Structures are given as structure tokens and as C-alpha cells.
Amino acid sequence: MDFITSLFPWITNGPLVLVQVMSGLSVGMFLFLVSVGMSLIFGVTRIVNLAHGSFYMVSAYLMVTLIEVMPEHPVSFWIALLLAPVGVGILGGVIEVTLLRRIYRRDPMMQLILTFGLILVIGTLVLLVWGPDNKSVPRPDALAGSVRIFGQPFPSYYLLVLGLSPLVAVGLWLLFYRTRWGMLVRAATVDREMLGALGVDVSKLYTEVFVFGSWLAGLGGALAAPTVAVALGMDGDVLINAFVVVVIGGLGSFAGSLISALLVGELQSFGILIFPAVSIVLLFAIMAVVLIVRPWGLLGHPEE
């Protein structure tokens, strides 16, 4: 024990460990909102949407604009938080109807090329509209500071994330497992052809799923906007982390995305303390181990 405490003296600091756990949960919840949408879209449409991170970025920029154009009022932030993901959901719907719908039965490589092209197009449009400079979104006054947890400071805004994200997770579970739409979505992940043979409008379902998945990415981006610098390139960072979450949890698995996102969040939070020099590599090492031992992810299913 003395050897461990000599290597990691912070381990005996209970309040610090607790704050690190909460920080990891906050990061995990951000990743869950983005990755579950990506996983959902793949589960139904079988498209690995590389532009998913771009939706996250666009939502953050929409938050910037909405906060700027709306009058200064305590509720302006919350209205922007509602509108930005809706805007991204509409964008996702337009892209699905005009572009992706035409390539569902094409070679997977063509789908990857198209979604990669969307990254470049959306990135260029963001540059033209918002410019190259970094932007920031102020936190609401009530959540601008920090609270003390056993003497350790913790950002108040992260408490919002810790409170809101589980509600979203429960709402998603109810949506997927307690509604007819959720039943259709789950059926589509298993056998899309059979669903079409039963008279379900599969094209409409695809559009609805893509809009919903885009909205989830937008919600993640809107929530994260006050915690990061809103800048070009933020889409790539979140896409990589979301992809790691989806691979570890299993493509198309709701529970897998949640568990994996929390695991990755805690790894990032404690990795900086335990292995600061290789904390980023640690994440990819675990993903590689999962791919070797269980290629379909922790809670995913092998393709038949």
C-alpha cells in the first residue's frame, strides 16, 4: 500500500478522487450524447457517419450566434440550448434526404467517402460563416462559478451536465423500449428487409433516425459549447472520441454506448493523474484490446 501511495499520493485524497470521478462522469455524458446518435444511425442505416462530429461543431457555433442575437436575459441561454440542436436535426434531415438516401445500397466505401466529403464541406461553410477565430459561449449566470465538494472546487455547469444527461439517457431508454417508434428502430437494427416487407415505410424511418441522431449530436455540442473553445477542428476531436466509445461499446448498442462513454470519461479523467504521459494512448490501447478480444464491442452483436 505504501508503494502505491508513494507512486500516486493523490489516491489518499478522498475529495480529489471524488471530484475526478465526477469530472469523468461529466466527460462521459458529453461523449454519450454524441456517440449514441452515431451508434443509432449506424444500427439502422448501416452508415458510419463520419460527419457526425461536424453536427456537434455546427451546434456549438449555432449556440454562439443565438446567444449573440438574442437579448441579454437569463432565459436566452436555455432557449439557445433548445434551438441549436433542433437546427442541427433539420440539417441532418436535409442531408439524409438529399444525399445519403441515394447511397444506402452502394458500396460502404462510397458511403465513407461521402460522409468524409461532408466533413470538408461543412467545415468550409463554418469557416465562411463564422470565420477562423475561436468563439466562446458564456455560461448562464447561475452556473458560471464553481461549488465546493468536500473542499475541492467543481464547476457548477458540470452539475447541469451530470443532472441533465441521465434524464436524457432515461428518456432515450423509454423511447427505444416503451414506444412503437422505438420498437421499429430496434427491429430495423436486426432485419430491415423484413420490416419493409411488413409494410413499414423504411425510408421515412431512416430519415427520422438520422434526424434524431443528428439532434443528439447537436445537443452534445450545444451543452459542451460553454466548456470549450468553439473552433474549427473541434469536430475531429469529438469524432475520434465518439468513435472509440462506439467501437468499445458496440455499434448499434444503446447500453454499450452508455457504459463505454462512462468508461472512456473516467479513463480520461484518471489517466491524466495516473499516466499523464500516455493518457491518450491508453484509450486507443483499450480500444485495440476490445477489437482483438471482442470485435463487435462489449454489448454489440456480430454481423450475421
Side-chain angles (χ1 to χ4, degrees):
M1 186 64 184
D2 293 339
F3 174 72
I4 295 176
T5 54
S6 64
L7 283 177
F8 311 115
W10 52 268
I11 204 170
T12 58
N13 188 338
L16 175 61
V17 172
L18 177 61
V19 167
Q20 285 300 118
V21 169
M22 294 176 67
S23 296
L25 289 175
S26 303
V27 173
M29 283 303 178
F30 280 128
L31 289 175
F32 168 68
L33 291 175
V34 181
S35 62
V36 72
M38 186 177 185
S39 182
L40 176 65
I41 289 172
F42 174 81
V44 174
T45 68
R46 290 296 187 272
I47 283 185
V48 179
N49 181 24
L50 297 180
H52 203 67
S54 300
F55 295 154
Y56 170 93
M57 177 177 68
V58 169
S59 185
Y61 273 101
L62 285 177
M63 281 290 290
V64 172
T65 298
L66 288 169
I67 294 293
E68 287 177 351
V69 300
M70 286 195 294
E72 290 189 17
H73 193 277
V75 301
S76 295
F77 175 86
W78 306 106
I79 294 174
L81 189 61
L82 290 174
L83 294 180
V86 172
V88 172
I90 294 172
L91 173 64
V94 171
I95 289 175
E96 196 278 339
V97 171
T98 57
L99 297 175
L100 297 180
R101 183 175 290 185
R102 306 174 189 279
I103 62 164
Y104 281 134
R105 297 189 181 279
R106 301 286 183 86
D107 187 274
M109 183 57 69
M110 180 173 288
Q111 299 170 357
L112 288 176
I113 292 173
L114 177 59
T115 57
F116 179 74
L118 285 173
I119 294 177
L120 303 178
V121 171
I122 293 174
T124 302
L125 291 176
V126 167
L127 176 63
L128 292 174
V129 174
W130 283 282
D133 297 331
N134 292 359
K135 312 289 184 185
S136 63
V137 174
R139 300 177 186 183
D141 293 339
L143 300 173
S146 61
V147 295
R148 288 277 174 181
I149 298 178
F150 297 109
Q152 293 288 332
F154 187 77
S156 302
Y157 186 79
Y158 279 29
L159 294 177
L160 167 68
V161 178
L162 289 175
L164 182 61
S165 296
L167 292 178
V168 173
V170 171
L172 290 175
W173 186 86
L174 292 173
L175 179 64
F176 291 140
Y177 292 95
R178 290 292 184 271
T179 67
R180 182 177 182 275
W181 188 79
M183 181 190 69
L184 293 177
V185 170
R186 286 187 289 121
T189 63
V190 178
D191 193 335
R192 293 170 291 174
E193 285 72 19
M194 179 62 72
L195 202 61
L198 292 174
V200 175
D201 188 341
V202 178
S203 295
K204 180 182 176 186
L205 183 65
Y206 279 17
T207 304
E208 292 171 349
V209 166
F210 203 88
V211 169
F212 189 64
S214 303
W215 176 82
L216 285 170
L219 181 60
L223 269 176
T227 69
V228 297
V230 179
L232 290 167
M234 64 185 295
D235 54 338
D237 295 336
V238 76
L239 177 66
I240 292 172
N241 287 329
F243 192 72
V244 170
V245 167
V246 171
V247 169
I248 293 177
L251 282 165
S253 171
F254 169 77
S257 294
L258 177 60
I259 294 172
S260 177
L262 295 179
L263 176 64
V264 169
E266 294 299 339
L267 275 173
Q268 290 187 341
S269 180
F270 282 95
I272 295 174
L273 288 177
I274 301 174
F275 305 109
V278 294
S279 59
I280 297 178
V281 177
L282 182 65
L283 192 63
F284 294 103
I286 292 177
M287 183 183 74
V289 171
V290 171
L291 282 174
I292 294 171
V293 177
R294 195 175 167 85
W296 49 88
L298 297 178
L299 297 183
H301 300 284
E303 291 281 337
E304 296 181 355

